[in-house]
Amino acid sequence: MNKIFPILDWLPNYKTSFLRGDIFAGLTIGIILIPQGIAYSIIAGLPPIYGLYTALIPQLIYTIFGTSKQLSTGPTALDSLIIASGVSTLAIVGTDNYITTVLLLTIMVGALQFLVGIFRLGFIVNFLSRPVLTGFVSAAAIIIAFSQLKDLLGLDVARSNQIHTIIVNLFEKITEINLNTILIGLGSILIIYGLKKIHKKLPGQLLVVIIGILVMKWFGNYLSDVEIVKDIPKGLPPFLMHHFDVSLMQKLLPIALTLAFTGFLQGISIAKTLDEDVIDSNLKPNKELIALGLGNMVGSFFGAYTFTGSFSRSAINKEAGANTAMSNVVAALFILITILFLTPVFYYLPKTVLAAIIITAILGMIKVKDMRFLWKTDKKDFIMMLVTLIITLTVGIKEGIMVGVMVSIFAVIFETSRPHMAVLGKVPNTAHFYRNKGRFNDVEIDKEFLIVRFDSQLYFANTNYFKEKLDELVYEKGEDLRLIIIDAEVISNIDSSGVFALNELLKKYNSRGIKIYFTNIKGPLRDAFAKSGLINQIGVENCFMSIQEAVNNYLNKDNLDQERKYTQYLDQVN
């Protein structure tokens, strides 16, 4: 039962000393979730109440099946933007058809995450490299921030997920800026940042919501040009049945795949960061997938759209003193009370305040520090990041993540097809130390030996490179070469293409009178040599524990051969 319900790992051992921290953290997250839930649902093109629904049922499901103690889940800006950019091409925003399409998409996302978790395929997300994720998340954050400028400035601008279109639309309407709206919005931004400067735990977002509501309620007659949220229905979320339209599901599949993997990657990366200093951490990626999948599937029947872990709320949850996932339960109960009794309070909430909350929350997602780090450390990774960033900004969210995945896979294939290959020489005045001559200029290189180390597994993608590179090195050595020593210390695996390549090299160089020795052969490689019969071609006597042992063996054999030839010569003379 513990394997099925991870909550049983910690709930039976729950200590009363944990309760205070969990309650305080849960209330803090609940307070933040209300304005964020309303704001993010508007980004997704949904009525505000759906953001609160997403903060309720899925969060409780995750608490039962999730393995992170401090991850705070719910609606996020990134998921909301992906939903809006994808579903708006299939249905008109604000209509019942749009809502049902989003909920159908949510159950598809949940089913994909659940199946990937059940079959332990969580490693697939590894193909989304950190540079690609940096470019994608940063671009999405920029798009979200710019898309909120219309509400911050009080402009009637069409939706778009392409940065150049948003800028053009804003510029065309620049003369229609609403002064009252922008004053309230900028004032909200200043309050949020001001309170953060004073203390990170101060609830700036909640405060601007309260101030915004009071201002519009008391002075609404003078601010009639400021757009407000208006009616938010109260009561428990209704149970909704899905209509599984196969043709529509086929159109939604690319969006569902994007949301499934980005949502999991976002959640698991946050959970790993939170659990770094947790001694008894029991975080399991595949179970996290199952928890997110079940939360999305069950939640979709109760008006919830796609949810995942939130970096900002999770960080606050940890700072507020959360000890276990019980803080999620407290947050969900607070949301439930709000849905049942407090939604009329938000009638006068200005949309420009929600835009201010989103902009201040989202700017931290623009990974400027990561971009600088990539520029300094690895230009190839920086180019990967830049390509993903530009495609996401100019073409679209789905296209950006798809190009990012393809770029990541291409980078993996390119790197593994041309791995590092070093020529080794003996370190002077040592008995058995051999180092890369490209990094150590004073190593001793014998004209009769070529000692190489191939820093990768040997498989179909790099066998041609291995053969070509070895041929180049042999040509450079010239006619004095008598022995090739292949240091296999880093070769952890070999496939049939690698076996064929070694077989060809053995035949070619042995026919020229050049011996090939192998050293530091690991168990999996020995097994492959034995199963393929290649060991018979190599010869067990040509395999050694170390490079020095191989060199000594050759030198001794060479001396014996010289003595034998000299003895034969003397016999002939006599």
Side-chain angles (χ1 to χ4, degrees):
M1 292 297 289
N2 286 25
K3 290 181 179 180
I4 299 173
F5 302 102
I7 190 174
L8 297 178
D9 284 331
W10 58 268
L11 189 59
N13 303 315
Y14 190 83
K15 299 177 183 178
T16 53
S17 59
F18 292 163
L19 195 58
R20 183 178 177 181
D22 286 341
I23 290 175
F24 181 74
L27 288 174
T28 304
I29 295 304
I31 290 168
I32 294 170
L33 256 172
I34 291 171
Q36 282 194 353
I38 294 171
Y40 294 158
S41 61
I42 291 173
I43 293 177
L46 296 167
I49 190 63
Y50 285 85
L52 300 182
Y53 291 161
T54 307
L56 181 60
I57 300 296
Q59 192 161 207
L60 293 173
I61 297 295
Y62 177 82
T63 304
I64 297 170
F65 294 96
T67 58
S68 175
K69 293 183 177 181
Q70 295 171 322
L71 183 68
S72 176
T73 61
T76 64
L78 182 59
D79 280 3
S80 301
L81 179 63
I82 295 172
I83 288 169
S85 64
V87 180
S88 61
T89 61
L90 303 173
I92 299 172
V93 175
T95 62
D96 289 341
N97 185 38
Y98 182 89
I99 295 171
T100 56
T101 303
V102 170
L103 297 180
L104 178 61
L105 172 65
T106 301
I107 197 171
M108 289 175 64
V109 171
L112 286 168
Q113 290 174 330
F114 181 77
L115 289 172
V116 171
I118 286 291
F119 290 105
R120 300 179 180 275
L121 300 176
F123 68 90
I124 292 174
V125 297
N126 294 334
F127 286 107
L128 204 59
S129 66
R130 187 175 183 84
V132 165
L133 192 63
T134 297
F136 174 72
V137 171
S138 299
I142 293 169
I143 292 171
I144 293 168
F146 271 86
S147 68
Q148 292 307 299
L149 289 178
K150 67 182 185 65
D151 288 329
L152 189 74
L153 303 175
L155 300 175
D156 183 16
V157 175
R159 285 174 172 269
S160 177
N161 65 332
Q162 297 174 333
I163 192 67
H164 53 282
T165 304
I166 296 172
I167 292 172
V168 169
N169 291 342
L170 287 171
F171 186 76
E172 288 175 349
K173 298 287 184 74
I174 198 73
T175 56
E176 300 175 15
I177 288 177
N178 186 305
L179 184 60
N180 290 328
T181 299
I182 193 172
L183 286 174
I184 295 173
L186 291 177
S188 300
I189 291 174
L190 290 174
I191 291 171
I192 292 171
Y193 276 124
L195 289 176
K196 274 187 179 180
K197 290 277 186 181
I198 297 170
H199 200 288
K200 288 183 179 180
K201 292 185 180 180
L202 290 175
Q205 295 179 342
L206 180 65
L207 185 61
V208 295
V209 166
I210 294 171
I211 292 172
I213 290 171
L214 292 177
V215 166
M216 291 306 297
K217 187 170 184 178
W218 291 341
F219 304 102
N221 292 333
Y222 306 100
L223 302 169
S224 58
D225 54 347
V226 177
E227 194 172 354
I228 58 176
V229 171
K230 295 185 179 179
D231 287 316
I232 299 177
K234 66 177 182 178
L236 291 172
F239 180 78
L240 303 167
M241 286 300 295
H242 297 288
H243 174 61
F244 295 97
D245 185 334
V246 176
S247 62
L248 179 59
M249 291 173 71
Q250 289 175 344
K251 295 174 184 176
L252 288 172
L253 186 59
I255 314 168
L257 287 167
T258 302
L259 283 166
F261 291 117
T262 55
F264 168 62
L265 193 63
Q266 188 177 344
I268 195 64
S269 60
I270 295 166
K272 284 182 177 179
T273 303
L274 293 170
D275 282 18
E276 280 178 355
D277 55 353
V278 177
I279 297 173
D280 58 343
S281 172
N282 195 33
L283 187 67
K284 292 181 172 58
N286 285 308
K287 286 190 177 181
E288 287 294 293
L289 269 167
I290 293 171
L292 291 172
L294 287 172
N296 279 317
M297 285 193 291
V298 175
S300 69
F301 288 98
F302 296 93
Y305 69 92
T306 307
F307 87 113
T308 186
S310 163
F311 184 81
S312 59
R313 292 196 301 269
S314 297
I316 294 169
N317 191 39
K318 185 176 182 178
E319 288 176 9
N323 296 296
T324 67
M326 186 61 72
S327 62
N328 288 336
V329 177
V330 175
L333 289 175
F334 187 83
I335 298 297
L336 179 61
I337 293 169
T338 302
I339 291 173
L340 289 174
F341 307 109
L342 302 179
T343 51
V345 173
F346 298 96
Y347 180 91
Y348 291 100
L349 177 60
K351 287 188 177 180
T352 185
V353 171
L354 293 176
I357 291 170
I358 293 168
I359 290 170
T360 53
I362 212 71
L363 289 179
M365 289 173 58
I366 302 174
K367 311 290 186 179
V368 177
K369 287 184 179 179
D370 289 358
M371 293 178 190
R372 289 175 181 167
F373 174 79
L374 292 173
W375 174 257
K376 290 179 182 178
T377 56
D378 195 324
K379 295 297 188 293
K380 292 194 297 295
D381 282 353
F382 180 82
I383 292 170
M384 286 170 58
M385 180 279 300
L386 193 62
V387 168
T388 307
L389 179 80
I390 292 171
I391 295 296
T392 305
L393 283 174
T394 58
V395 181
I397 301 291
K398 299 191 304 294
E399 292 79 4
I401 198 68
M402 289 171 65
V403 168
V405 171
M406 287 189 289
V407 168
S408 294
I409 294 172
F410 175 79
V412 170
I413 294 171
F414 181 79
E415 289 293 332
T416 57
S417 66
R418 298 179 64 85
H420 182 255
M421 191 168 178
V423 177
L424 306 181
K426 188 175 182 181
V427 178
N429 304 317
T430 64
H432 54 269
F433 289 110
Y434 287 81
R435 295 292 182 267
N436 182 0
K437 78 168 188 176
R439 292 182 178 274
F440 298 86
N441 296 326
D442 59 341
V443 293
E444 298 171 355
I445 303 292
D446 193 298
K447 64 180 181 179
E448 292 189 15
F449 305 151
L450 173 61
I451 307 171
V452 297
R453 189 189 68 227
F454 190 66
D455 294 343
S456 172
Q457 62 175 328
L458 191 59
Y459 75 120
F460 66 92
N462 59 29
T463 52
N464 285 335
Y465 174 78
F466 175 72
K467 290 190 295 183
E468 290 169 4
K469 189 70 176 176
L470 190 63
D471 287 342
E472 288 176 15
L473 296 173
V474 169
Y475 179 79
E476 289 173 6
K477 291 293 287 189
E479 296 180 358
D480 293 328
L481 180 64
R482 293 292 179 267
L483 174 66
I484 299 172
I485 299 176
I486 298 176
D487 181 9
E489 183 178 9
V490 188
I491 304 176
S492 59
N493 195 18
I494 187 171
D495 69 356
S496 58
S497 299
V499 170
F500 281 118
L502 290 179
N503 198 27
E504 289 174 11
L505 289 171
L506 286 163
K507 289 178 180 177
K508 179 166 68 174
Y509 289 118
N510 287 341
S511 66
R512 296 182 189 177
I514 300 173
K515 288 183 171 295
I516 297 183
Y517 287 174
F518 287 83
T519 68
N520 298 313
I521 306 173
K522 291 185 176 179
L525 192 60
R526 289 199 304 270
D527 294 341
F529 284 176
K531 289 178 181 178
S532 63
L534 184 64
I535 192 64
N536 299 324
Q537 183 74 12
I538 296 170
V540 176
E541 69 279 5
N542 295 325
C543 299
F544 302 92
M545 296 291 290
S546 68
I547 295 173
Q548 190 61 54
E549 185 182 336
V551 171
N552 292 341
N553 181 274
Y554 176 79
L555 292 174
N556 290 337
K557 276 188 176 181
D558 192 51
N559 291 336
L560 288 172
D561 288 342
Q562 293 294 334
E563 289 177 9
R564 190 177 298 110
K565 289 177 183 178
Y566 184 67
T567 303
Q568 291 173 352
Y569 170 73
L570 290 176
D571 289 342
Q572 289 173 0
V573 171
N574 293 332

